[in-house]
Every structure is written in structure tokens, then in C-alpha cells.
């Protein structure tokens, strides 16, 4: 087990901000899907794209979190730039298409 350092106020603030960003993303996606369903009726392509976007987002954040935990407190996770850039591009493109 990796020894942990006591949490500072800055650590708690950053964790709270990170959680807020993830919750806001999910809330905006849910709002967009609900307004799409309410106004036009749900077409399967839009719902499939929304599900794909949610899956890509969750998968990317799960990989980052897993690698960060393995790296240990205060160390940067070893994620190649091509991976996170591809993930970010996929999220942006899917969000733009929706």
C-alpha cells in the first residue's frame, strides 16, 4: 500500500471541482437528451450518439482515475498524450454532433 499524505484544503478543493465538472457534464447531457425527447420525440440515432458519448466520457475518466491511483499520491499518471488527446477529440466531436 502506498503511504498517503494528509489532505490539505487545496486537495479537497481540487477534488470538489473535479467532481463538479463530471456532474455538470452528466447533467448537461441528461438535459440535452430530455429536451430532445420532449420536443421532437426520440430518434434512435441521437439516443445512440448520446449513449456513445456517455460511454466514451465515463471510460476515459475511469482509465485516468485508475492510472492515477496506481501512480500514487502526488504523481502524474502515465497516460500517453495520444490517448488523452484522442479521448478529448472524441468527446468534443460527439458533443458537437449532438
Amino acid at each position: 500500500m502506498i503511504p498517503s499524505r494528509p489532505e490539505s484544503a487545496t486537495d479537497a478543493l481540487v477534488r470538489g471541482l473535479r467532481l463538479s465538472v463530471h456532474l455538470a457534464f452528466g447533467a448537461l447531457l441528461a438535459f440535452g437528451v430530455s429536451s430532445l425527447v420532449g420536443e421532437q420525440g426520440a430518434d434512435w440515432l441521437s439516443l445512440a450518439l448520446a449513449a456513445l458519448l456517455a460511454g466514451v466520457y465515463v471510460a476515459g475518466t475511469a482509465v485516468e482515475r485508475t492510472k492515477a491511483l496506481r501512480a500514487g499520491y502526488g504523481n502524474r499518471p502515465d497516460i500517453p498524450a495520444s490517448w488523452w488527446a484522442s479521448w478529448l477529440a472524441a468527446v468534443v466531436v460527439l458533443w458537437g454532433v449532438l
Side-chain angles (χ1 to χ4, degrees), residues 12-96:
L13 177 66
V14 169
R15 183 180 306 125
L17 290 173
R18 177 178 246 167
L19 178 64
S20 298
V21 166
H22 294 313
L23 291 175
F25 184 90
L28 287 171
L29 184 58
F31 176 75
V33 168
S34 66
S35 66
L36 174 71
V37 169
E39 291 177 8
Q40 304 170 6
D43 63 334
W44 67 271
L45 181 59
S46 295
L47 293 177
L49 285 172
L52 180 62
L53 174 59
V56 167
Y57 187 81
V58 168
T61 57
V63 165
E64 189 274 334
R65 178 74 174 156
T66 301
K67 287 189 173 281
L69 288 174
R70 287 185 186 157
Y73 185 88
N75 298 321
R76 292 189 67 137
D78 183 26
I79 302 172
S82 61
W83 288 14
W84 63 258
S86 299
W87 172 81
L88 182 60
V91 168
V92 169
V93 167
L94 286 168
W95 190 271

